[in-house]
Each structure stands twice: as structure tokens, then as C-alpha cells.
């Protein structure tokens, strides 16, 4: 899929840390994150963060809305760090 041809100019890698790490909480997060059409990939990773989420979105204004209204609506998120792809 050529995301730019369908108006999704911004690619974001979002690192997410959860408050609680019991299996039920991990499964709930994985289920909940899939409800957002902007999320194209989600990886449970080892290291400083718990998840790496790849997002395609129209622009920065839409990403701010996504972050403030969609991600912020999920339980158990303690930290979000976003990286924006330039090339």
C-alpha cells in the first residue's frame, strides 16, 4: 500500500510503556490498540518500552487528536514516546 496516495502523509513509530504487566493487561492492550484504523503494526518488545506501534496518519494535527483522544482513552498506559519518520 502506498500510504501517501491515500492521504496518509505521516508515519509515526510510537513507543508505549504500560503501568501493569500481568498477562491480562497485556492482552487487553493488544486487543484495544487494534480498534484504531491508524495502527498498522504493533509489536510487544523487550527493552525500555513494552510496545512499538506503527501508525499511518494524515498529518500532525490528526496525530495530536489520535494521541489525545484515542490513545489517551486506553487504560494502563504510563508513557508514550513518538518518533516521526522523515525519510
Amino acid at each position: 500500500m502506498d500510504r501517501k496516495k491515500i492521504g496518509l502523509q505521516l508515519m509515526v513509530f510510537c513507543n508505549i510503556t504500560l503501568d501493569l504487566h500481568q498477562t491480562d493487561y497485556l492482552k487487553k492492550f493488544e486487543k484495544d490498540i487494534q480498534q484504531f484504523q491508524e495502527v498498522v503494526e504493533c509489536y510487544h518488545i523487550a527493552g525500555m518500552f513494552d510496545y512499538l506501534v506503527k501508525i499511518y496518519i494524515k498529518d500532525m494535527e490528526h496525530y495530536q487528536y489520535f494521541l489525545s483522544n484515542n490513545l489517551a482513552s486506553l487504560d494502563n498506559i504510563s508513557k508514550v514516546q513518538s518518533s516521526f519518520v522523515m525519510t
Side-chain angles (χ1 to χ4, degrees):
M1 165 176 79
D2 186 343
R3 64 182 169 80
K4 290 183 180 180
K5 285 185 179 179
I6 58 172
L8 302 175
Q9 300 297 319
L10 190 60
M11 182 190 308
V12 183
F13 287 101
C14 189
N15 293 294
I16 297 175
T17 301
L18 302 181
D19 281 325
L20 303 168
H21 297 90
Q22 289 86 0
T23 302
D24 291 344
Y25 292 103
L26 299 175
K27 288 180 180 181
K28 181 173 181 353
F29 173 80
E30 291 169 8
K31 179 181 173 272
D32 291 347
I33 197 75
Q34 292 178 44
Q35 72 181 319
F36 304 122
Q37 66 182 13
E38 297 87 352
V39 172
V40 294
E41 296 176 17
C42 178
Y43 300 97
H44 188 194
I45 59 174
M48 294 182 67
F49 299 97
D50 298 316
Y51 287 91
L52 175 63
V53 179
K54 184 177 180 181
I55 298 166
Y56 290 162
I57 201 153
K58 182 178 177 183
D59 55 28
M60 187 62 72
E61 181 179 347
H62 285 88
Y63 183 67
Q64 184 201 3
Y65 179 88
F66 174 81
L67 188 62
S68 300
N69 294 282
N70 295 2
L71 274 185
S73 72
L74 299 182
D75 295 331
N76 198 30
I77 292 179
S78 69
K79 183 177 181 181
V80 175
Q81 180 183 8
S82 303
S83 297
F84 304 97
V85 175
M86 294 172 47
T87 58

Coordinates of all heavy atoms in Angstrom, one line a residue:
M1 N 0.8 -1.2 0.0 CA 0.0 0.0 0.0 C 0.9 1.2 0.0 O 1.8 1.3 0.8 CB -0.9 0.0 1.2 CG -1.6 1.3 1.5 SD -2.7 1.3 2.9 CE -1.6 1.3 4.3
D2 N 0.6 2.2 -0.9 CA 1.3 3.4 -0.9 C 0.5 4.4 -0.1 O -0.5 5.0 -0.5 CB 1.4 4.0 -2.3 CG 2.3 5.2 -2.4 OD1 2.5 5.9 -1.4 OD2 2.7 5.5 -3.5
R3 N 0.9 4.6 1.2 CA 0.1 5.4 2.1 C -0.1 6.8 1.7 O -1.1 7.4 1.9 CB 0.7 5.3 3.5 CG 2.1 6.0 3.6 CD 2.7 5.8 5.0 NE 4.1 6.2 4.9 CZ 4.6 7.5 4.9 NH1 3.7 8.5 5.0 NH2 5.9 7.7 4.8
K4 N 0.9 7.4 1.0 CA 0.8 8.8 0.5 C -0.3 9.0 -0.5 O -0.9 10.0 -0.6 CB 2.2 9.2 0.1 CG 3.2 9.4 1.2 CD 4.5 9.9 0.7 CE 5.4 10.0 1.9 NZ 6.7 10.6 1.5
K5 N -0.5 7.9 -1.3 CA -1.5 8.0 -2.4 C -2.9 8.1 -1.8 O -3.9 8.5 -2.4 CB -1.4 6.9 -3.4 CG -0.2 7.0 -4.3 CD -0.2 6.0 -5.4 CE 0.9 6.2 -6.3 NZ 1.0 5.1 -7.3
I6 N -3.1 7.6 -0.6 CA -4.4 7.7 0.1 C -4.4 8.7 1.2 O -5.3 8.7 2.0 CB -4.8 6.3 0.6 CG1 -3.8 5.7 1.6 CG2 -5.0 5.3 -0.5 CD1 -4.3 4.4 2.3
G7 N -3.5 9.7 1.1 CA -3.6 10.8 2.0 C -3.0 10.6 3.4 O -3.2 11.5 4.3
L8 N -2.2 9.6 3.6 CA -1.6 9.4 4.9 C -0.1 9.8 4.9 O 0.8 8.9 4.7 CB -1.8 7.9 5.4 CG -3.2 7.4 5.4 CD1 -3.3 5.9 5.7 CD2 -4.0 8.2 6.4
Q9 N 0.1 11.0 5.0 CA 1.4 11.6 4.8 C 2.4 11.3 6.0 O 3.6 11.4 5.8 CB 1.3 13.1 4.6 CG 0.5 13.5 3.4 CD 1.1 13.1 2.1 OE1 2.3 13.1 1.9 NE2 0.2 12.6 1.2
L10 N 1.9 11.1 7.2 CA 2.8 11.0 8.3 C 2.9 9.5 8.8 O 1.8 8.9 9.0 CB 2.2 11.9 9.5 CG 3.0 12.1 10.7 CD1 4.4 12.7 10.4 CD2 2.3 12.9 11.7
M11 N 4.1 9.1 9.0 CA 4.3 7.8 9.6 C 5.0 8.0 11.0 O 5.9 8.7 11.1 CB 5.3 6.9 8.7 CG 5.5 5.5 9.3 SD 6.9 4.5 8.5 CE 6.4 4.6 6.8
V12 N 4.4 7.3 12.0 CA 4.8 7.5 13.3 C 5.2 6.2 14.0 O 4.4 5.2 13.8 CB 3.7 8.2 14.2 CG1 4.2 8.5 15.6 CG2 3.2 9.5 13.5
F13 N 6.3 6.1 14.7 CA 6.6 5.0 15.5 C 6.4 5.4 16.9 O 7.0 6.4 17.4 CB 8.0 4.5 15.3 CG 8.2 3.8 14.0 CD1 8.8 4.4 12.9 CD2 7.8 2.5 13.9 CE1 9.0 3.7 11.7 CE2 8.0 1.8 12.7 CZ 8.6 2.4 11.6
C14 N 5.5 4.8 17.6 CA 5.1 5.2 18.9 C 5.5 4.1 19.9 O 5.1 2.9 19.8 CB 3.6 5.3 18.9 SG 2.8 6.0 20.4
N15 N 6.4 4.5 20.9 CA 6.8 3.6 21.9 C 5.9 3.8 23.1 O 5.7 4.9 23.6 CB 8.2 3.9 22.3 CG 9.2 3.6 21.3 OD1 9.4 2.4 20.9 ND2 9.9 4.6 20.7
I16 N 5.4 2.7 23.6 CA 4.4 2.7 24.7 C 4.8 1.9 25.9 O 5.2 0.7 25.7 CB 3.0 2.3 24.2 CG1 2.5 3.2 23.1 CG2 2.0 2.2 25.4 CD1 1.2 2.8 22.5
T17 N 4.7 2.4 27.1 CA 5.0 1.7 28.3 C 3.7 1.6 29.1 O 3.0 2.5 29.2 CB 6.1 2.4 29.1 OG1 7.3 2.6 28.4 CG2 6.4 1.7 30.4
L18 N 3.5 0.4 29.6 CA 2.3 0.1 30.4 C 2.6 0.2 31.9 O 3.8 0.0 32.3 CB 1.7 -1.3 30.1 CG 1.3 -1.5 28.6 CD1 0.8 -2.9 28.5 CD2 0.4 -0.5 28.1
D19 N 1.6 0.5 32.7 CA 1.8 0.5 34.2 C 1.9 -0.9 34.7 O 2.8 -1.2 35.5 CB 0.6 1.2 34.8 CG 0.7 2.7 34.8 OD1 1.8 3.3 34.9 OD2 -0.4 3.4 34.6
L20 N 1.0 -1.7 34.3 CA 0.9 -3.1 34.8 C 1.2 -4.1 33.7 O 0.8 -3.9 32.5 CB -0.5 -3.4 35.3 CG -0.9 -2.4 36.4 CD1 -2.4 -2.5 36.7 CD2 -0.1 -2.6 37.7
H21 N 1.9 -5.2 34.0 CA 2.4 -6.1 33.0 C 1.9 -7.5 33.2 O 2.4 -8.4 32.5 CB 4.0 -6.1 33.1 CG 4.5 -4.8 32.7 ND1 4.8 -3.8 33.7 CD2 4.8 -4.2 31.5 CE1 5.2 -2.7 33.1 NE2 5.3 -2.9 31.8
Q22 N 0.9 -7.7 33.9 CA 0.3 -9.1 34.0 C -0.3 -9.4 32.7 O -0.7 -8.6 31.9 CB -0.8 -9.1 35.1 CG -0.2 -9.1 36.5 CD 0.0 -7.6 37.0 OE1 -0.2 -6.7 36.3 NE2 0.5 -7.5 38.2
T23 N -0.4 -10.7 32.4 CA -0.9 -11.2 31.1 C -2.2 -10.6 30.7 O -2.4 -10.2 29.6 CB -1.0 -12.8 31.2 OG1 0.2 -13.3 31.5 CG2 -1.5 -13.3 29.9
D24 N -3.2 -10.5 31.6 CA -4.5 -9.9 31.3 C -4.4 -8.5 30.8 O -5.1 -8.1 29.9 CB -5.4 -10.0 32.5 CG -5.8 -11.4 32.9 OD1 -5.7 -12.3 32.1 OD2 -6.4 -11.6 34.0
Y25 N -3.5 -7.7 31.4 CA -3.3 -6.3 31.0 C -2.7 -6.2 29.6 O -3.0 -5.4 28.8 CB -2.5 -5.6 32.0 CG -3.2 -5.3 33.3 CD1 -2.9 -6.1 34.4 CD2 -4.2 -4.4 33.4 CE1 -3.6 -5.9 35.6 CE2 -4.9 -4.2 34.6 CZ -4.6 -5.0 35.7 OH -5.3 -4.8 36.9
L26 N -1.7 -7.1 29.3 CA -1.0 -7.1 28.0 C -2.1 -7.5 26.9 O -2.1 -6.9 25.9 CB 0.1 -8.1 28.0 CG 1.3 -7.8 29.0 CD1 2.3 -9.0 29.0 CD2 1.9 -6.5 28.7
K27 N -2.8 -8.5 27.2 CA -3.8 -9.0 26.2 C -4.9 -7.9 26.0 O -5.3 -7.7 24.8 CB -4.5 -10.3 26.7 CG -3.6 -11.5 26.5 CD -4.3 -12.7 27.0 CE -3.4 -13.9 26.9 NZ -4.0 -15.2 27.3
K28 N -5.3 -7.2 27.0 CA -6.3 -6.2 26.9 C -5.7 -5.0 26.0 O -6.4 -4.5 25.1 CB -6.7 -5.6 28.2 CG -7.8 -4.5 28.1 CD -8.4 -4.2 29.4 CE -9.5 -3.1 29.4 NZ -9.8 -2.4 28.1
F29 N -4.5 -4.6 26.3 CA -3.9 -3.6 25.5 C -3.8 -4.0 24.0 O -4.1 -3.2 23.1 CB -2.5 -3.2 26.0 CG -1.8 -2.2 25.1 CD1 -2.1 -0.9 25.1 CD2 -0.8 -2.7 24.1 CE1 -1.5 0.0 24.2 CE2 -0.2 -1.8 23.3 CZ -0.6 -0.5 23.3
E30 N -3.3 -5.2 23.8 CA -3.2 -5.7 22.4 C -4.6 -5.7 21.7 O -4.7 -5.3 20.5 CB -2.5 -7.0 22.4 CG -1.1 -7.0 22.8 CD -0.4 -8.3 23.0 OE1 -1.1 -9.3 22.8 OE2 0.7 -8.3 23.5
K31 N -5.6 -6.1 22.4 CA -6.9 -6.1 21.8 C -7.4 -4.6 21.5 O -7.9 -4.3 20.5 CB -7.9 -6.8 22.7 CG -9.3 -6.8 22.2 CD -10.2 -7.5 23.3 CE -11.7 -7.4 22.9 NZ -12.3 -6.3 23.4
D32 N -7.2 -3.8 22.5 CA -7.7 -2.4 22.4 C -7.0 -1.6 21.3 O -7.6 -0.8 20.6 CB -7.5 -1.7 23.8 CG -8.5 -2.2 24.8 OD1 -9.4 -2.9 24.5 OD2 -8.2 -1.8 26.0
I33 N -5.7 -1.8 21.2 CA -4.9 -1.0 20.2 C -5.3 -1.3 18.8 O -5.3 -0.5 17.9 CB -3.4 -1.1 20.4 CG1 -2.6 0.0 19.7 CG2 -2.9 -2.5 19.9 CD1 -2.7 1.3 20.4
Q34 N -5.8 -2.5 18.6 CA -6.3 -3.0 17.2 C -7.5 -2.3 16.8 O -7.8 -2.3 15.6 CB -6.5 -4.5 17.2 CG -5.2 -5.3 17.4 CD -5.5 -6.8 17.4 OE1 -6.2 -7.3 16.6 NE2 -4.8 -7.5 18.3
Q35 N -8.3 -1.7 17.6 CA -9.5 -1.0 17.2 C -9.3 0.3 16.4 O -10.2 0.8 15.8 CB -10.3 -0.7 18.5 CG -9.8 0.5 19.3 CD -10.6 0.8 20.5 OE1 -11.8 0.8 20.5 NE2 -9.9 1.0 21.7
F36 N -8.0 0.8 16.4 CA -7.7 2.1 15.8 C -7.2 1.8 14.4 O -6.2 1.1 14.2 CB -6.7 2.9 16.5 CG -7.1 3.2 18.0 CD1 -6.4 2.7 19.0 CD2 -8.3 3.8 18.2 CE1 -6.8 3.0 20.3 CE2 -8.8 4.1 19.5 CZ -8.0 3.7 20.6
Q37 N -7.9 2.3 13.4 CA -7.5 2.1 12.0 C -6.2 2.7 11.6 O -5.5 2.2 10.7 CB -8.6 2.6 11.0 CG -8.7 4.1 11.0 CD -9.8 4.6 10.1 OE1 -10.6 3.8 9.6 NE2 -9.9 5.8 9.8
E38 N -5.7 3.7 12.4 CA -4.4 4.3 12.1 C -3.2 3.4 12.5 O -2.1 3.5 11.9 CB -4.3 5.6 13.0 CG -5.3 6.6 12.6 CD -6.6 6.5 13.4 OE1 -6.8 5.5 14.1 OE2 -7.4 7.5 13.3
V39 N -3.5 2.4 13.3 CA -2.4 1.5 13.8 C -2.3 0.4 12.7 O -3.2 -0.4 12.4 CB -2.8 0.9 15.1 CG1 -1.8 -0.3 15.5 CG2 -2.8 1.9 16.2
V40 N -1.1 0.3 12.1 CA -0.9 -0.7 11.1 C 0.0 -1.9 11.5 O -0.1 -3.0 11.0 CB -0.3 -0.1 9.8 CG1 -1.2 0.9 9.1 CG2 1.0 0.6 10.1
E41 N 0.8 -1.7 12.6 CA 1.6 -2.7 13.2 C 1.7 -2.5 14.7 O 1.8 -1.3 15.1 CB 3.0 -2.8 12.5 CG 2.9 -3.2 11.1 CD 4.3 -3.1 10.4 OE1 5.3 -3.2 11.1 OE2 4.3 -3.1 9.2
C42 N 1.8 -3.5 15.5 CA 2.0 -3.4 16.9 C 2.9 -4.6 17.3 O 2.6 -5.7 17.1 CB 0.7 -3.4 17.6 SG 0.9 -3.3 19.4
Y43 N 4.0 -4.3 18.0 CA 5.0 -5.3 18.5 C 5.1 -5.2 20.0 O 5.4 -4.1 20.5 CB 6.3 -5.1 17.8 CG 6.3 -5.2 16.3 CD1 6.2 -4.0 15.5 CD2 6.3 -6.4 15.7 CE1 6.1 -4.1 14.1 CE2 6.2 -6.5 14.3 CZ 6.1 -5.3 13.5 OH 6.1 -5.4 12.2
H44 N 5.1 -6.3 20.6 CA 5.5 -6.4 22.1 C 7.0 -6.6 22.1 O 7.5 -7.6 21.5 CB 4.7 -7.6 22.7 CG 4.9 -7.7 24.1 ND1 4.6 -8.8 24.9 CD2 5.3 -6.8 25.1 CE1 4.8 -8.6 26.1 NE2 5.2 -7.4 26.3
I45 N 7.7 -5.7 22.7 CA 9.1 -5.7 22.6 C 9.8 -5.7 24.0 O 9.2 -5.5 25.0 CB 9.6 -4.4 21.8 CG1 9.2 -3.1 22.5 CG2 9.2 -4.4 20.4 CD1 9.8 -1.8 21.9
A46 N 11.1 -6.1 24.0 CA 11.9 -6.0 25.2 C 12.7 -4.8 25.2 O 13.0 -4.2 24.1 CB 12.8 -7.3 25.2
G47 N 13.1 -4.3 26.3 CA 13.9 -3.1 26.4 C 13.2 -2.0 27.3 O 12.5 -2.3 28.2
M48 N 13.4 -0.8 26.9 CA 12.9 0.4 27.7 C 11.4 0.5 27.6 O 10.8 1.2 28.5 CB 13.6 1.7 27.3 CG 15.0 1.7 27.6 SD 15.8 3.3 27.1 CE 15.0 4.4 28.3
F49 N 10.8 0.0 26.5 CA 9.3 0.2 26.3 C 8.7 -1.2 26.2 O 9.4 -2.2 26.0 CB 9.1 1.0 25.0 CG 9.7 2.4 25.1 CD1 10.9 2.7 24.5 CD2 9.0 3.4 25.7 CE1 11.4 3.9 24.6 CE2 9.5 4.7 25.8 CZ 10.7 4.9 25.3
D50 N 7.4 -1.2 26.3 CA 6.7 -2.5 26.2 C 6.2 -2.8 24.8 O 6.1 -3.9 24.4 CB 5.5 -2.5 27.2 CG 5.9 -2.4 28.6 OD1 6.9 -3.1 29.0 OD2 5.3 -1.6 29.3
Y51 N 5.8 -1.7 24.1 CA 5.2 -1.9 22.7 C 5.8 -0.9 21.8 O 6.0 0.3 22.1 CB 3.7 -1.8 22.7 CG 3.0 -3.0 23.4 CD1 2.8 -3.0 24.7 CD2 2.7 -4.1 22.6 CE1 2.2 -4.1 25.3 CE2 2.1 -5.2 23.2 CZ 1.9 -5.2 24.5 OH 1.3 -6.3 25.1
L52 N 6.0 -1.3 20.5 CA 6.3 -0.4 19.4 C 5.1 -0.5 18.5 O 4.8 -1.6 18.0 CB 7.6 -0.9 18.7 CG 7.9 -0.1 17.5 CD1 8.2 1.4 17.8 CD2 9.2 -0.7 16.8
V53 N 4.5 0.7 18.2 CA 3.3 0.7 17.4 C 3.6 1.6 16.2 O 4.1 2.7 16.3 CB 2.1 1.3 18.2 CG1 0.9 1.4 17.3 CG2 1.8 0.5 19.4
K54 N 3.3 1.1 15.0 CA 3.5 1.9 13.8 C 2.1 2.4 13.3 O 1.1 1.7 13.3 CB 4.0 0.9 12.7 CG 4.3 1.6 11.4 CD 4.9 0.6 10.4 CE 5.3 1.2 9.1 NZ 5.9 0.1 8.2
I55 N 2.1 3.7 13.1 CA 0.9 4.4 12.8 C 1.0 5.2 11.5 O 2.1 5.9 11.2 CB 0.6 5.4 13.9 CG1 0.3 4.7 15.2 CG2 -0.6 6.3 13.6 CD1 0.3 5.5 16.5
Y56 N 0.0 5.1 10.6 CA -0.1 6.0 9.4 C -1.2 6.9 9.7 O -2.3 6.5 10.0 CB -0.4 5.1 8.2 CG 0.7 4.2 7.7 CD1 0.4 3.2 6.8 CD2 2.0 4.4 8.0 CE1 1.3 2.4 6.3 CE2 3.0 3.5 7.5 CZ 2.7 2.5 6.6 OH 3.6 1.7 6.1
I57 N -0.9 8.2 9.4 CA -2.0 9.2 9.7 C -1.8 10.4 8.8 O -0.7 10.6 8.2 CB -1.9 9.6 11.2 CG1 -3.2 10.2 11.7 CG2 -0.7 10.5 11.5 CD1 -3.5 10.0 13.1
K58 N -2.8 11.2 8.6 CA -2.9 12.3 7.6 C -1.8 13.3 7.9 O -1.0 13.7 7.0 CB -4.3 12.9 7.6 CG -4.4 14.0 6.6 CD -5.8 14.6 6.6 CE -5.9 15.7 5.6 NZ -7.3 16.3 5.6
D59 N -1.7 13.8 9.1 CA -0.8 14.9 9.4 C -0.7 15.1 10.9 O -1.3 14.3 11.7 CB -1.3 16.2 8.8 CG -2.7 16.6 9.2 OD1 -3.1 16.3 10.3 OD2 -3.3 17.3 8.3
M60 N 0.1 16.0 11.3 CA 0.4 16.2 12.8 C -0.8 16.6 13.5 O -1.0 16.2 14.7 CB 1.5 17.3 13.0 CG 2.0 17.4 14.4 SD 2.8 15.9 15.0 CE 4.3 16.0 14.1
E61 N -1.7 17.4 13.0 CA -2.9 17.8 13.6 C -3.8 16.5 13.9 O -4.3 16.4 15.0 CB -3.7 18.7 12.8 CG -5.0 19.2 13.4 CD -5.8 20.2 12.5 OE1 -5.2 20.7 11.5 OE2 -7.0 20.4 12.8
H62 N -3.9 15.6 13.0 CA -4.6 14.4 13.2 C -3.9 13.5 14.2 O -4.6 12.8 15.0 CB -4.9 13.7 11.9 CG -5.9 14.3 11.0 ND1 -5.6 15.3 10.1 CD2 -7.2 14.1 11.0 CE1 -6.8 15.7 9.6 NE2 -7.8 15.0 10.1
Y63 N -2.6 13.5 14.2 CA -1.9 12.7 15.2 C -2.1 13.2 16.6 O -2.3 12.4 17.5 CB -0.4 12.6 14.9 CG 0.3 11.7 15.9 CD1 0.1 10.3 15.9 CD2 1.1 12.2 16.9 CE1 0.7 9.5 16.8 CE2 1.7 11.4 17.8 CZ 1.5 10.0 17.8 OH 2.1 9.2 18.7
Q64 N -2.1 14.5 16.8 CA -2.4 15.1 18.1 C -3.8 14.6 18.6 O -4.0 14.3 19.7 CB -2.3 16.6 18.1 CG -2.5 17.1 19.5 CD -2.9 18.6 19.5 OE1 -3.1 19.2 18.5 NE2 -3.1 19.1 20.7
Y65 N -4.8 14.7 17.7 CA -6.1 14.2 18.0 C -6.1 12.7 18.4 O -6.7 12.3 19.4 CB -7.1 14.5 16.8 CG -8.5 14.0 17.2 CD1 -9.4 14.8 17.8 CD2 -8.9 12.7 16.9 CE1 -10.7 14.4 18.1 CE2 -10.2 12.2 17.2 CZ -11.0 13.1 17.8 OH -12.3 12.6 18.2
F66 N -5.4 11.9 17.6 CA -5.3 10.5 17.8 C -4.7 10.2 19.2 O -5.2 9.4 20.0 CB -4.5 9.8 16.7 CG -4.2 8.4 17.0 CD1 -5.1 7.4 16.7 CD2 -3.0 8.0 17.5 CE1 -4.9 6.1 16.9 CE2 -2.7 6.6 17.8 CZ -3.7 5.7 17.5
L67 N -3.6 10.9 19.5 CA -2.9 10.8 20.8 C -3.8 11.2 22.0 O -3.9 10.5 22.9 CB -1.6 11.6 20.8 CG -0.7 11.4 21.9 CD1 -0.2 9.9 22.0 CD2 0.5 12.3 21.7
S68 N -4.4 12.4 21.8 CA -5.2 12.9 22.9 C -6.5 12.2 23.2 O -7.0 12.2 24.3 CB -5.5 14.4 22.7 OG -4.3 15.1 22.5
N69 N -7.1 11.7 22.1 CA -8.5 11.2 22.2 C -8.5 9.6 22.2 O -9.3 9.0 22.8 CB -9.4 11.8 21.2 CG -9.6 13.2 21.4 OD1 -10.4 13.6 22.3 ND2 -8.9 14.1 20.7
N70 N -7.7 9.1 21.3 CA -7.7 7.6 21.2 C -6.8 6.9 22.1 O -7.2 6.1 23.0 CB -7.4 7.2 19.7 CG -8.5 7.7 18.8 OD1 -9.4 8.4 19.2 ND2 -8.3 7.4 17.5
L71 N -5.5 7.2 22.0 CA -4.5 6.5 22.9 C -4.8 6.9 24.3 O -4.7 6.0 25.2 CB -3.1 6.9 22.5 CG -2.4 6.1 21.4 CD1 -0.9 6.5 21.3 CD2 -2.5 4.6 21.7
A72 N -5.1 8.1 24.6 CA -5.3 8.5 26.0 C -6.6 7.8 26.6 O -6.7 7.8 27.8 CB -5.5 10.0 26.1
S73 N -7.4 7.3 25.7 CA -8.6 6.6 26.2 C -8.3 5.2 26.7 O -9.2 4.6 27.4 CB -9.7 6.6 25.2 OG -9.4 5.6 24.2
L74 N -7.2 4.7 26.4 CA -6.8 3.3 26.8 C -6.3 3.3 28.3 O -5.6 4.2 28.7 CB -5.7 2.7 25.9 CG -6.1 2.6 24.4 CD1 -4.9 2.0 23.7 CD2 -7.4 1.8 24.2
D75 N -6.7 2.2 29.0 CA -6.3 2.1 30.4 C -4.8 1.6 30.4 O -4.4 0.9 29.4 CB -7.2 1.0 31.1 CG -8.6 1.5 31.2 OD1 -8.8 2.7 31.3 OD2 -9.5 0.6 31.2
N76 N -4.1 1.8 31.5 CA -2.9 1.2 31.8 C -1.7 1.7 31.0 O -0.6 1.2 31.1 CB -3.0 -0.3 31.5 CG -1.9 -1.1 32.2 OD1 -1.4 -0.7 33.3 ND2 -1.5 -2.2 31.6
I77 N -1.8 2.8 30.2 CA -0.7 3.4 29.6 C 0.0 4.4 30.5 O -0.7 5.3 31.1 CB -1.1 4.1 28.3 CG1 -1.5 3.1 27.2 CG2 0.1 4.9 27.7 CD1 -1.9 3.7 25.9
S78 N 1.3 4.2 30.7 CA 2.0 5.2 31.6 C 2.9 6.1 30.8 O 3.1 7.2 31.3 CB 2.9 4.4 32.6 OG 3.9 3.8 32.0
K79 N 3.4 5.7 29.6 CA 4.3 6.6 28.9 C 4.1 6.3 27.4 O 4.0 5.2 27.0 CB 5.7 6.3 29.3 CG 6.8 7.2 28.7 CD 8.1 6.9 29.2 CE 9.2 7.8 28.6 NZ 10.5 7.5 29.1
V80 N 4.2 7.4 26.6 CA 4.2 7.3 25.2 C 5.3 8.2 24.6 O 5.4 9.4 25.0 CB 2.8 7.8 24.6 CG1 2.8 7.9 23.1 CG2 1.7 7.0 25.1
Q81 N 6.1 7.7 23.7 CA 7.1 8.5 23.1 C 7.0 8.3 21.6 O 7.0 7.1 21.1 CB 8.5 8.0 23.5 CG 9.6 8.8 22.8 CD 11.0 8.3 23.2 OE1 11.2 7.3 23.9 NE2 12.0 9.1 22.8
S82 N 6.8 9.4 20.9 CA 6.6 9.3 19.4 C 7.8 9.7 18.6 O 8.5 10.7 19.0 CB 5.4 10.2 19.1 OG 4.2 9.9 19.8
S83 N 8.1 9.0 17.5 CA 9.1 9.3 16.6 C 8.5 9.5 15.2 O 7.7 8.6 14.8 CB 10.2 8.3 16.6 OG 10.8 8.2 17.8
F84 N 8.8 10.5 14.5 CA 8.2 10.8 13.2 C 9.2 10.5 12.1 O 10.3 11.0 12.1 CB 7.7 12.3 13.2 CG 6.8 12.6 14.3 CD1 7.2 13.2 15.5 CD2 5.4 12.2 14.3 CE1 6.4 13.4 16.5 CE2 4.6 12.4 15.3 CZ 5.0 13.0 16.4
V85 N 8.8 9.8 11.1 CA 9.6 9.3 10.0 C 9.8 10.5 9.0 O 8.8 11.0 8.6 CB 9.0 8.1 9.3 CG1 9.9 7.7 8.1 CG2 9.0 6.9 10.3
M86 N 11.0 10.8 8.8 CA 11.3 11.9 7.8 C 11.5 11.3 6.4 O 11.0 11.8 5.4 CB 12.5 12.7 8.3 CG 12.2 13.4 9.6 SD 13.6 14.3 10.4 CE 14.4 15.1 9.1
T87 N 12.4 10.3 6.3 CA 12.6 9.6 5.0 C 12.6 8.1 5.2 O 12.9 7.7 6.3 CB 13.9 10.1 4.4 OG1 15.0 9.8 5.2 CG2 13.9 11.6 4.0

